Amino acid sequence: MNHKETLRARWLRRGLDTHVSLPLFALLLLVAIWLVTFHQIDADRDLAREAADDSLHEMLGTYEAQVARSVDGIDQTLRMLKYAVERKGALGALPELAREGLLPPGVVFVVSIVDRNGVTVASNPRALPISVAGQAYFKFHQEHDSGATYVSPVLRDSANSEWHIHFTRRLDDGAGRFAGIVVVETDPAYFTSSYERSRLGERGMLGLVGTDGVVRALRTGDKMSFGQRLGTSEGEVGNQIGGRYSGMRELHGVALSVLVGLDEQELMAAFETRRRDQLWQGAILSGALVLVTGLLWLWSWQGARTRARMRRAQETYAAASAASLDAFFVLREIRDAAGMIADFKIVDANQRAVQMTGASKQQLCGATLCGLIPQARENGMLKHLIQVTRLGGMHEQEWQNTVPQLRARWLHQQAVAVQGGVVAIVRDISERKLAEERMLHLAHHDMLTGLPNRSLIADRLEQTIAQARRNSGTVLVAFIDLDGFKLVNDGLGHNAGDELLKVVADRMAGCLRASDTVGRFGGDEFVLLLNEPGSLLDAAPLLERVREAVLRPVRVSGQDVQVSCSIGVAVYPNDGGDAGALLMNADAAMYRAKDLGKNNIQFYTREMNASIEEKLVLLEGLRGALEEGQFRLVYQPKVDLHSGRVFGVEALVRWEHPEHGVIGPDRFIPLAEESGMIVALGEWVLRSACAQNRAWQDAGLPPLRISVNVSPRQFEEQRLVERVRRALADSGLAPQWLELEVTEGVIMRDLQQAVAKMTQVKAMGVSLSIDDFGTGYSSLSALKSFPISTLKIDKSFVRDLGRSSGDEAIASSIIGLAHRLKLRVIAEGVETEQQRSFLRENGCDEMQGYLFSRPLPPAQLAQLLAAPAVRAA
């Protein structure tokens, strides 16, 4: 037993020996080093990917806004051209628009008018009068009266040998028949001209893709292409450019999507460099650790344990201090006759300390702190070290060096109190500080022009407003957009465009005072920030100098070019109390300057944002209207045209605003749809209507079917069927007394999913009807698959019954079609006896409208239903 205990104790002591424990400890350190290294690499990779995702989303949003603005401009030109043709005819439209200055520049756009036979009768710039009757865009408008802009794939013809995208709209004669089309053509490269290598790299992707999957314009680096089919999923797009960062967004109101793609290798290049550096650092540190451990292991076998332990400590300190990037100073306190610390004596220092001070080690060791650095008493260095000895522990600080004895601009110091003195570890951090300064500058300045960027402009504007608020001062913000820059950029190339932007930026900066700021907001947009401009009359000459400076010709790529600028101005506090409001109002004023012919200055007036402010007021009120009970339902009776019996009602929502009175659904429903609040509002309407119908039945009134409109956003919401089921269950209403009305346009967005959802609702016993039939684009093959019971003729076709043969033909066709599909037909908006007579004679089943009754509150409708022999005369 004693022998075993002695053996166990011997092995335990051996395990405690340094030459045994040291390798184990070193192994743990190696594991820790690589765990930390790989953790840092993973963290950097995640940060790089997050930054790449953020960059992609920002560029996708910017490009979407640019393309949407261009497409809206083209669509506006088509609308004006259509209006001019209807007023002046095909031959007089273009001259009239030219005189008014409303035609787009012929360098970029070709505008044409085509008659019903497909012959080009007028164009600007003038082109050959060719026939386009065989083109897909002509056939589309000939066969469809969609009222929308059609965007063709890229094509060319004998009139224009260059490849162009055709934007077209249908022309109708006075009787509503097809009368031809209007066309705006433009180069596909027009939509990818905003490609910037500084942001998208050499292998990025910028493009415009139709919902049919055909590319209208696609640019990767300097390569421009179109016409190919491109997968619309994120994975397929990513495979096209060899990376995972890509995205598409569908443009509102037109069958186009914008595409932005970024190459993963380019995005992650900086991370890969840092990863290699970190692996090298880990390898060097591991090698140093292995080397030191090996030396210590060898030294542990020499001499007695106490002497070996002391030797190892000394050698470890020597190796660490010699290889360290930090300067080590061992200081012993020197006290005066009163026992107070008067100075410190340097008793030891490493090689880095020798390099930092420029003195030899012999000169350092034995010198005093104040003897080496005489300024130590005045600059607080001596006082700080005395405080460290008094408080104990470790203390850190950074400071900008001002003493010539230390060869560094920025220093970091760790001072550790020891018995009888201080150990000071000093590191030169000048390179780190310079790198931080460079990173800070790049984060807040535009790389092309060197001007403050969007974030710095916003920060300075907030600070300037805060100062003006304290001093009751003013701040002027000018939003500047270059006129004609896109033509230069497209015609001479991006390098010429970049050079032009730099020249314009320098000229603007040269016009300002030292206290003012000019920044690049993005693209060809700039912002001026004038602090304390005085009166507007004082600011006007400065703004005029800026406008004239921009207008002067600039020589780029060996050619003189000239651009102008439109300037919008907003002034704090009159035009806004914060940075966001001022920038928004200055932007509105800039667009007014654009509308007034460009190359001018406009100061903001409240009328510019009147419609926006009204929308914001309604949107703000809408947020709390549902919780505060400001909505109410009214009910319009539905009447059987043959028996005259009221068989149902339609639930209609009204908003009783506490300040603005009753607000019609045409004003607040689109806002609710846009903001997403329509889902909650629609559920409230559904539940309230079901509860009211059950209340009428409980009161003894004859059962009737109540119709509830379902908005597009409600119909697409995943939980629609569950919401309907819960509303019926909570109210106790039988499913056959509820009908949902859905517009045909909503159904046709995703036909397969819509039919599946309608089938689930139908299976519950709830009826379905198509609202506003005739205004959408459903096909007969799709219509026969809808699980519906009723078609509702839109009031736009009912309004002129008896006066318009076209509306009469449409109404009678809808009635006949519905009956052949075994569907009932109801007409809305019936207001005259003439309308009712036509509908009854042509077999329409039901009607609703002011002829019988306006929408009524629940109590009045109950009185109407309770009255004996309620019939439509």
Side-chain angles (χ1 to χ4, degrees), residues 664-739:
D666 58 331
R667 293 176 63 193
F668 70 83
I669 290 296
L671 284 178
E673 184 79 18
E674 180 181 342
S675 63
M677 288 184 282
I678 192 66
V679 176
L681 178 58
E683 184 175 10
W684 177 84
V685 172
L686 175 65
R687 298 177 68 88
S688 300
C690 291
Q692 182 61 64
N693 197 6
R694 180 55 191 256
W696 284 329
Q697 294 181 14
D698 293 342
L701 296 176
L704 49 80
R705 180 177 294 165
I706 192 164
S707 298
V708 176
N709 290 286
V710 178
S711 75
R713 200 153 186 166
Q714 278 182 278
F715 189 79
E716 294 172 354
E717 206 255 337
Q718 295 293 331
R719 300 177 56 198
L720 173 65
V721 177
E722 178 60 29
R723 294 182 191 276
V724 173
R725 182 179 291 109
R726 191 167 61 246
L728 291 170
D730 293 346
S731 64
L733 182 68
Q736 65 265 28
W737 302 118
L738 175 62
E739 180 180 64

Side-chain angles (χ1 to χ4, degrees), residues 34 41 65 94 97 118 157 220 223 249 272 281 321 353 375 398 407 505 555 598 674 687 695 714-715 770 787 850:
W34 287 106
I41 289 174
L94 292 181
L97 293 179
D157 50 40
T220 302
K223 182 180 178 182
R249 287 188 185 173
E272 290 296 334
Q281 291 173 4
S321 62
Q375 302 91 334
E398 291 182 1
R407 300 175 179 179
R555 189 163 188 82
K598 305 179 180 179
E674 180 181 342
R687 298 177 68 88
Q714 278 182 278
F715 189 79
I770 294 185
Y850 287 1

Side-chain angles (χ1 to χ4, degrees), residues 50-91:
E50 289 178 6
D53 287 333
D54 293 342
S55 178
L56 173 66
H57 293 155
E58 178 187 356
M59 286 188 280
L60 188 60
T62 301
Y63 185 51
E64 178 188 12
Q66 292 174 350
V67 174
R69 185 183 299 177
S70 299
V71 172
D72 288 345
I74 293 173
D75 188 63
Q76 184 64 28
T77 299
L78 289 171
R79 292 177 185 271
M80 289 191 298
L81 189 58
K82 178 179 179 180
Y83 177 72
V85 171
E86 293 173 351
R87 289 181 61 251
K88 294 293 184 177
L91 298 179

Side-chain angles (χ1 to χ4, degrees), residues 376-427:
R377 295 188 185 276
E378 289 77 21
N379 62 17
M381 186 181 298
L382 177 62
K383 181 180 178 181
H384 173 70
L385 294 177
I386 293 173
Q387 186 178 14
V388 170
T389 61
R390 184 171 64 252
L391 298 177
M394 190 267 288
H395 300 265
E396 294 186 74
Q397 65 174 358
E398 291 182 1
W399 77 91
Q400 190 168 4
N401 181 39
T402 59
V403 299
Q405 293 82 1
L406 299 177
R407 300 175 179 179
R409 181 179 174 185
W410 280 91
L411 294 170
H412 175 272
Q413 174 189 278
Q414 289 181 324
V416 183
V418 296
Q419 186 175 3
V422 176
V423 175
I425 305 171
V426 183
R427 174 177 295 181

